[in-house]
Amino acid sequence: MERRKVTFKLYPNARQAERLTCWVRLHCELYNAALQERIEAYRKCGKSISYYDQQNVLPEIKAARPELVELGSHALQQTLRRLDLAFAAFFRRVKAGQTPGFPRFKSSARFSGFCYPDPAGWKLMQCGKRGGTLRLGSGKDAMSIRLRGQHRFGSEAKPNDLTITRKNGEWFASVTLRVQETACARERSDAQHRGIDFGISDWATFDNGKAIANPRWVREELPKLATLQRERARKRKGSLRYKRISWQAARLHERIANLRREFVHQETTKLVQTCAVIATEELAPKNMSRSARGTVEAPGRRVRQKAGLNREILSAAFGMAHQMLSYKAAEAGTRLHLANTRQLKPSQRCAKCWATVPKTLAQRVHVCPHCGHTAPRDQNSASVVLIDAHTPGTGVAARPKPLPTVRSRKSKSMTRETPATTTQGV
Ligand SMILES: [Zn+2]
């Protein structure tokens, strides 16, 4: 049995939305009350209260507050467990010598939602081709909320747990399904071997020279976000205009995240469907962040800030691509090879003779001084990781032989690129 998480957007009607909001508020109240209890017990008598102490008084609380009953006892327990996890994480970090923040009281507007830890108290029903309904609660008080989308695992899939979240005023249901391995399997139409270099100027470059250009959201939505944030910086903090722009920025952030997820899903699916072997570098966030400098479109003001923002959002897409590739590759029977960046240095290594050829980030073409091999920088490093996939680890003997290094030409006359010249080039 495999586990797969599927998220659906919910379309509650006005009354249902109001009721969901009310439920979130009640969960939030419980969370805050439990936190308060823990703090006071410790302050007044130095006693620490465990999850089970709090769980055991839930029936009494429900007797005093009958409106909690319809939330379901397991869902209430789950909220207490969430607090317990927050404390566990806090103490773990204290022990590790870090300086964590103490678990906080939350406002119900910021409380993300609630969770049913087992398939009781709710039911996911798929009907037609495009959607279904989610039934929450039981008896005549149950809510049937419309939802969009369907999962691809068929009727065999068994629901395991459900999380209801609210984000920018919209509601979502994440369902974890227990699925047979066969239901996860993906079909593969081709058996190519591909090396991939994920980058900033092109989203991905392959060892055969083909590339996937940066998607539309990088060109169109990211600059909008930067503009909004700049506008917000001119408003008085906490004012109505400040809040309005914050709201717009939050919506745009969400839109970018959705577009990004969609794009990465589509491209990674295509990759695992056509490849038997996929090779790429293991994820190194620090490497990514340096190369953002060369791609910021807007020259002039606040280049650094924009670079930081773009960098953060783009490198999230690389992390996502790696994560999706790993589970999709397993589903399609594709071998995914992650090369060790530190040892291999794909961007510095010559794919023909295996010598290391130091380059600055601005040098977009690999020209080997030893064997004369010339290729675009990203393509060369994609080839290098592919060779590494075929002869990993101890298979160094099968790789091209490194030539003895000539120590005269390089490093002394290397010119460092200033930000001004890099932004012009792109
Ligand atoms: Zn070479």
Side-chain angles (χ1 to χ4, degrees):
M1 280 290 199
E2 297 277 318
R3 279 169 188 244
R4 289 288 179 272
K5 193 169 152 188
V6 194
T7 302
F8 302 99
K9 186 171 177 189
L10 295 176
Y11 292 87
N13 61 32
R15 193 182 301 158
Q16 289 169 340
E18 199 180 317
R19 205 159 151 212
L20 282 176
T21 312
C22 174
W23 286 13
V24 169
R25 198 165 55 233
L26 289 172
H27 274 283
C28 179
E29 263 175 44
L30 178 70
Y31 183 94
N32 288 337
L35 174 57
Q36 174 123 24
E37 190 193 8
R38 283 186 183 227
I39 294 171
E40 280 183 359
Y42 188 78
R43 267 199 202 135
K44 286 182 182 158
C45 34
K47 188 179 157 226
S48 39
I49 292 188
S50 75
Y51 163 73
Y52 289 99
D53 298 331
Q54 297 193 314
Q55 185 207 297
N56 291 338
V57 295
L58 265 182
E60 287 171 42
I61 298 176
K62 277 194 286 185
R65 297 279 306 270
E67 65 269 34
L68 287 173
V69 174
E70 65 172 358
L71 305 191
S73 45
H74 288 184
L76 293 172
Q77 288 171 10
Q78 199 59 25
T79 295
L80 292 180
R81 204 165 272 140
R82 196 164 143 190
L83 177 70
D84 195 50
L85 279 177
F87 269 97
F90 170 75
F91 287 123
R92 190 190 63 233
R93 293 190 61 197
V94 169
K95 223 176 184 178
Q98 295 164 319
T99 47
F102 193 76
R104 290 198 215 182
F105 291 102
K106 302 194 179 188
S107 85
S108 73
R110 287 177 155 263
F111 203 71
S112 62
F114 53 93
C115 178
Y116 293 88
D118 46 43
W122 59 278
K123 195 172 181 207
L124 176 69
M125 286 170 289
Q126 303 217 325
C127 46
K129 276 191 173 169
R130 290 190 188 144
T133 48
L134 179 72
R135 212 174 133 83
L136 283 182
S138 56
K140 62 176 173 27
D141 288 335
M143 276 194 278
S144 287
I145 305 173
R146 283 193 308 127
L147 58 84
R148 186 169 71 180
Q150 284 213 318
H151 63 75
R152 63 185 181 95
F153 304 108
S155 53
E156 296 286 287
K158 292 197 174 57
N160 191 65
D161 55 66
L162 165 75
T163 307
I164 304 277
T165 47
R166 180 179 50 184
K167 202 172 171 191
N168 294 332
E170 288 167 337
W171 293 92
F172 298 91
S174 291
V175 183
T176 312
L177 300 163
R178 280 179 292 141
V179 189
Q180 297 286 351
E181 277 92 5
T182 46
C184 298
R186 284 168 191 270
E187 280 184 29
R188 214 170 65 209
S189 58
D190 201 353
Q192 301 175 25
H193 291 197
R194 279 285 151 267
I196 311 172
D197 183 77
F198 289 108
I200 300 264
S201 47
D202 272 326
W203 184 71
T205 310
F206 299 108
D207 60 297
N208 61 359
K210 291 205 175 107
I212 301 173
N214 263 324
R216 201 177 44 79
W217 56 266
V218 176
R219 297 191 308 272
E220 292 174 9
E221 310 294 325
L222 283 183
K224 275 191 219 163
L225 190 60
T227 313
L228 272 183
Q229 294 190 335
R230 211 161 43 228
E231 259 175 53
R232 192 177 65 170
R234 287 198 293 267
K235 306 287 180 253
R236 190 158 43 84
K237 206 168 178 181
S239 68
L240 197 61
R241 285 176 185 166
Y242 184 93
K243 279 183 194 153
R244 192 183 296 141
I245 295 180
S246 299
W247 169 251
Q248 287 171 352
R251 294 297 298 263
L252 189 55
H253 251 299
E254 196 191 354
R255 178 176 158 74
I256 290 171
N258 290 344
L259 289 169
R260 177 177 59 195
R261 193 172 344 97
E262 175 79 1
F263 168 77
V264 179
H265 259 306
Q266 288 178 350
E267 296 303 333
T268 50
T269 299
K270 266 187 245 163
L271 277 173
V272 296
Q273 276 174 347
T274 50
C275 296
V277 174
I278 297 176
T280 186
E281 279 176 68
E282 63 183 9
L283 207 57
K286 277 183 189 164
N287 290 359
M288 297 294 179
S289 56
R290 260 189 295 149
S291 49
R293 198 169 52 160
T295 55
V296 182
E297 293 90 340
R301 297 174 58 206
R302 299 175 76 93
V303 169
R304 291 213 80 92
Q305 283 87 336
K306 262 190 223 171
L309 178 74
N310 285 3
R311 186 188 308 156
E312 195 183 305
I313 288 170
L314 287 168
S315 41
F318 299 126
M320 202 181 278
H322 271 248
Q323 190 210 342
M324 287 179 188
L325 274 179
S326 68
Y327 82 77
K328 289 181 184 179
E331 286 175 354
T334 297
R335 184 162 76 86
L336 177 68
H337 174 76
L338 297 178
N340 184 324
T341 311
R342 280 246 186 102
Q343 278 177 9
L344 192 66
K345 299 192 181 70
S347 59
Q348 311 289 324
R349 199 169 289 280
C350 174
K352 267 272 164 60
C353 70
W354 219 245
T356 48
V357 184
K359 307 182 206 44
T360 62
L361 276 165
Q363 282 171 293
R364 304 311 302 168
V365 181
H366 166 86
V367 182
C368 180
H370 308 290
C371 71
H373 177 58
T374 306
R377 177 201 176 97
D378 297 341
Q379 185 188 347
N380 177 65
S381 82
S383 308
V384 170
V385 287
L386 186 60
I387 294 172
D388 189 61
H390 291 147
T391 57
T394 50
V396 182
R399 287 174 185 167
K401 289 276 182 295
L403 296 174
T405 40
V406 191
R407 279 201 60 82
S408 59
R409 267 171 282 185
K410 59 188 181 184
S411 78
K412 274 186 184 166
S413 59
M414 215 158 61
T415 48
R416 286 249 169 247
E417 209 61 19
T418 60
T421 49
T422 36
T423 45
Q424 270 169 9
V426 181

